[in-house]
Amino acid sequence: MTIPAAQVAHKADPQRRTGRIGNCPNPEGLLQYQPKLRMDVLDRLRNSSILSAAQFDKETMAELAKLAAYLQLRKYPVSKALEDKIMAAAFFEPSTRTRLSFESAMLSVGGKTISVADAKTTGVAKGESLRDIGQMFNSYADIVVVRHTEQAAIAELSEYLRIPLVNGGNGSDEHPTQALADWYALLKWRPEIAFGTIPEKFRINIGIIGTPGNMRTVKSFLTLALLFHENINHITIFSEMADPLGDEMRELCDNSPIGINFSRDLQGSLEYLDVIYMNAIAFLGDGYRFFDEEFRLSSESRLKHDTVILHPLARGPELDVDLDETQHNLYFNQADGAVWMRQALLLAIFDRVRNTVPDDLLI
């Protein structure tokens, strides 16, 4: 489907605001192209662990976004969908949004949660291995969401684990469900990215502030971005590092038809960018540090009038609060949508979509 130029040249519409701060695109837009859910696609997630953004293809991402839209619009009741399930939220690294949004998502679909909010309260503090802790989760829960400071933690926990595991962020490696939330916000903003063909001159230009090689949110976001290559014109990665990609991401990017380049000149490039994805903390092997002032944004920055900004939060001085009241702010909607996307993911993993969605919405 080719999208008319007038529709593609999207400008933020104040009438779409819902009383919330920033840009709040209506989830209905995701349902105008293909309103029925493709169960053959969602079934790919049944009983699956979610370890990497690379597990997802364009079809699965699109169907999850549609399911999340139905959930956000409260089209049908789901309050008992997972009433027989328990989720363990095992967070060995501090978290606010990821942990709370997963717990909120599980409770909203009727499930129960048990939590590890501090590694010091677990057997790890006494020297217990993650492998043995994974064995215990088999008896205590039906699914486990894990965040850990070490990249290898997910693999170690999985060794004895027999229930689905969701990677809630492992060191500097990946954060796949954050990327799902990121792209849910973008697909609500421009549904044609997933469901249509954007005329060449209107295809989007994305700027990524960060280093995919050692920033887990940036890596997962970029991995999913490559799925929509037909409607993305160009990606520019803004970083102070000589090699921001690393070997794994370089191979993915080299095989993508999207033009990808690297720059330090964010301020000089703003007038060309439709989407800016930013994070400011880089893991350099021996700790974390923030990017320099040249990678900061404020209402004084020379942004296009319809550019949208994403940020996984928590933020520092790189993203000024004076952008919060503008239509550039898609980051609050991004955080809000994480609950609906994680509800959709949980329903798909437990094969409860058919139990909650009316038959006339399924194909």
Side-chain angles (χ1 to χ4, degrees), residues 134-187:
Q135 171 68 17
M136 295 304 100
F137 282 136
N138 294 322
S139 301
Y140 302 155
D142 300 290
I143 190 169
V144 58
V145 182
V146 176
R147 169 171 287 187
H148 204 283
T149 56
E150 300 294 333
Q151 291 189 34
I154 296 297
E156 187 176 348
L157 270 166
S158 298
E159 189 169 349
Y160 286 167
L161 200 65
R162 298 188 299 275
I163 60 175
L165 182 152
V166 178
N167 181 359
N170 62 320
S172 61
D173 187 34
E174 283 238 39
H175 197 345
T177 66
Q178 176 63 54
L180 293 178
D182 301 339
W183 278 95
Y184 179 49
L186 281 178
L187 295 184

Side-chain angles (χ1 to χ4, degrees), residues 311-331:
H311 192 303
L313 304 176
R315 64 173 154 186
E318 76 280 357
L319 179 59
D320 199 296
V321 296
D322 65 9
L323 283 163
D324 291 355
E325 297 282 354
T326 72
Q327 286 294 301
H328 300 303
N329 170 8
L330 196 60
Y331 41 89

Side-chain angles (χ1 to χ4, degrees), residues 299-353:
S299 61
E300 300 299 315
S301 301
R302 299 178 61 183
L303 297 160
K304 286 175 36 177
H305 71 281
D306 56 354
T307 297
V308 293
I309 300 169
L310 293 172
H311 192 303
L313 304 176
R315 64 173 154 186
E318 76 280 357
L319 179 59
D320 199 296
V321 296
D322 65 9
L323 283 163
D324 291 355
E325 297 282 354
T326 72
Q327 286 294 301
H328 300 303
N329 170 8
L330 196 60
Y331 41 89
F332 285 172
N333 189 263
Q334 170 191 3
D336 175 66
V339 174
W340 310 106
M341 178 53 78
R342 286 166 175 148
Q343 281 186 29
L345 188 63
L346 289 167
L347 290 175
I349 290 172
F350 284 117
D351 192 22
R352 295 294 170 85
V353 178

Side-chain angles (χ1 to χ4, degrees), residues 25 30 180-193 204 206 221 225 274-277 308-310 330 333-334:
L30 280 168
L180 293 178
D182 301 339
W183 278 95
Y184 179 49
L186 281 178
L187 295 184
K188 284 187 291 181
W189 171 69
R190 294 282 294 273
E192 61 271 23
I193 294 172
I204 63 173
I206 298 177
F221 175 83
D274 302 297
V275 175
I276 299 173
Y277 188 90
V308 293
I309 300 169
L310 293 172
L330 196 60
N333 189 263
Q334 170 191 3

Side-chain angles (χ1 to χ4, degrees), residues 63-242:
E63 294 306 309
L64 272 175
K66 285 161 54 181
L67 178 55
Y70 276 121
L71 293 167
Q72 186 169 1
L73 292 165
R74 303 182 189 277
K75 293 290 189 179
Y76 39 79
V78 295
S79 60
K80 296 183 179 180
L82 298 181
E83 61 183 349
D84 59 335
K85 302 298 182 184
I86 297 173
M87 180 187 77
F91 281 69
F92 299 89
E93 178 187 358
S95 169
T96 302
R97 277 151 298 277
T98 301
R99 179 184 162 212
L100 291 181
S101 67
F102 260 113
E103 292 188 359
S104 175
M106 189 64 172
L107 291 169
S108 296
V109 293
K112 304 171 183 66
T113 68
I114 55 177
S115 295
V116 173
D118 186 347
K120 295 178 182 178
T121 66
T122 72
V124 170
K126 299 183 290 186
E128 184 177 15
S129 72
L130 289 175
R131 180 182 61 184
D132 288 352
I133 289 176
Q135 171 68 17
M136 295 304 100
F137 282 136
N138 294 322
S139 301
Y140 302 155
D142 300 290
I143 190 169
V144 58
V145 182
V146 176
R147 169 171 287 187
H148 204 283
T149 56
E150 300 294 333
Q151 291 189 34
I154 296 297
E156 187 176 348
L157 270 166
S158 298
E159 189 169 349
Y160 286 167
L161 200 65
R162 298 188 299 275
I163 60 175
L165 182 152
V166 178
N167 181 359
N170 62 320
S172 61
D173 187 34
E174 283 238 39
H175 197 345
T177 66
Q178 176 63 54
L180 293 178
D182 301 339
W183 278 95
Y184 179 49
L186 281 178
L187 295 184
K188 284 187 291 181
W189 171 69
R190 294 282 294 273
E192 61 271 23
I193 294 172
F195 298 103
T197 301
I198 300 177
E200 186 172 357
K201 68 177 181 178
F202 293 111
R203 291 173 190 167
I204 63 173
N205 293 306
I206 298 177
I208 297 176
I209 305 173
T211 56
N214 58 23
M215 298 172 74
R216 62 192 179 202
T217 59
V218 177
K219 177 180 179 180
S220 294
F221 175 83
L222 176 57
T223 300
L224 290 190
L226 300 179
L227 299 179
F228 303 104
H229 56 83
E230 299 96 337
N231 290 321
I232 294 175
N233 178 50
H234 204 274
I235 296 174
T236 303
I237 298 172
F238 298 94
S239 173
E240 54 196 6
M241 298 183 68

Side-chain angles (χ1 to χ4, degrees), residues 8-60:
V8 174
H10 170 79
K11 297 181 181 179
D13 180 357
Q15 297 303 314
R16 299 173 76 194
R17 298 277 298 269
T18 61
R20 299 179 181 179
I21 295 175
N23 195 326
C24 296
N26 192 333
E28 290 276 8
L30 280 168
L31 307 174
Q32 64 181 320
Y33 298 95
Q34 301 171 12
K36 293 191 176 185
L37 296 170
R38 289 184 53 190
M39 289 308 305
D40 63 317
V41 175
L42 290 173
D43 281 345
R44 298 171 189 171
L45 297 170
R46 186 169 50 198
N47 299 319
S48 294
S49 290
I50 307 300
L51 307 182
S52 168
Q55 293 176 235
F56 295 91
D57 56 24
K58 179 181 175 180
E59 288 181 326
T60 308

